[in-house]
Amino acid sequence: MDDILGWLLDAVQSVDPVLRTVLAGIAIMLETSILIGLIVPGDTVVIVAAMGVASPVEGVVLALVVVIGALIGESIGFWLGRWLGPHIRHSWVGRRVGEQNWIRSERYLQRRGGIAIFLSRFLPVLHSLVPLTVGMSGYSYRRFLAWTAPACIIWSAAYVSVASLAAGSYRELSERVHFAGYVFVGVIAVFLIAIFVVKKVLEKREARHMHDDPA
């Protein structure tokens, strides 16, 4: 395992840091823009990019670029919702998303307001639908940014810091112990499981605000 991980981390780190960072920003921009977030695994790209971080400065730059990419993507979703929302909703792609998901997104925004915008960054499906829904609702762009920016910052900081620290720890441990690969895999696995659990808890907790009769 150590040989495979060492090869993987070396391969990621061999990619030009600027290119690696730009690709991560583009991936997260696509993930947070119009419905593309339903198929583009932006979080996976960010984790892989963070594994190649070689210094704190590089990590900070990557996190900032990911935040900017996320905000650009969500802004694209917002303005497309403002200008073309109904057309997108009734298009072939919009119908594939499912009318019930559009209704859930609308109800959630109506009942939770800014909190829905903030939490949607961490919720499956809604993180792609809510920017469009907000644009269609007449909600101001300034207020939208005020709620979504902190969520994007938290999301980016969590993914970049954990993945880069895990990779850095592996590089240090691999020179002294033989089970460093298992430590790395364990850290990433625990992080991904924690993210999954948090999303599920949030989804269950917020579900009552997306249905006809909230408690």
Side-chain angles (χ1 to χ4, degrees):
M1 178 178 288
D2 285 350
D3 291 339
I4 295 174
L5 282 175
W7 173 85
L8 177 62
L9 293 178
D10 288 342
V12 173
Q13 200 166 43
S14 68
V15 177
D16 181 74
V18 175
L19 176 61
R20 192 169 62 232
T21 300
V22 170
L23 289 176
I26 292 174
I28 202 64
M29 180 190 73
L30 292 175
E31 192 210 37
T32 53
S33 61
I34 171 179
L35 305 181
I36 299 175
L38 301 177
I39 55 175
V40 174
D43 52 354
T44 302
V45 177
V46 171
I47 288 175
V48 172
M51 287 164 52
V53 167
S55 69
V57 172
E58 195 175 310
V60 170
V61 171
L62 174 61
L64 287 175
V65 170
V66 169
V67 170
I68 292 170
L71 291 176
I72 291 174
E74 296 209 3
S75 296
I76 290 172
F78 176 92
W79 288 111
L80 286 175
R82 178 64 50 89
W83 297 328
L84 301 172
H87 298 288
I88 294 171
R89 180 169 179 170
H90 299 296
S91 68
W92 179 83
V93 175
R95 292 195 301 271
R96 294 287 292 178
V97 170
E99 183 63 18
Q100 187 57 40
N101 283 322
W102 288 104
I103 293 172
R104 287 173 65 232
S105 182
E106 287 178 335
R107 285 182 182 145
Y108 192 37
L109 180 63
Q110 290 169 359
R111 293 170 176 170
R112 296 289 271 166
I115 294 175
I117 297 172
F118 179 88
L119 292 179
S120 67
R121 174 79 278 258
F122 309 98
L123 294 173
V125 180
L126 289 177
H127 76 272
S128 186
L129 289 181
V130 164
L132 284 165
T133 304
V134 176
M136 287 188 280
S137 72
Y139 208 87
S140 77
Y141 179 64
R142 181 178 297 180
R143 291 176 64 200
F144 170 69
L145 277 186
W147 280 102
T148 197
C152 291
I153 292 170
I154 293 171
W155 187 96
S156 175
Y159 274 80
V160 172
S161 62
V162 171
S164 60
L165 288 172
S169 298
Y170 167 78
R171 291 188 183 95
E172 292 182 7
L173 287 173
S174 63
E175 299 176 358
R176 300 193 298 268
V177 297
H178 296 295
F179 55 85
Y182 295 99
V183 174
F184 173 80
V185 172
V187 170
I188 296 297
V190 168
F191 173 69
L192 293 178
I193 291 171
I195 292 294
F196 176 80
V197 171
V198 168
K199 287 182 177 181
K200 284 299 181 182
V201 170
L202 281 176
E203 191 175 18
K204 184 176 181 179
R205 178 180 176 182
E206 297 297 305
R208 68 183 188 275
H209 300 294
M210 306 173 199
H211 297 89
D212 289 324
D213 51 344

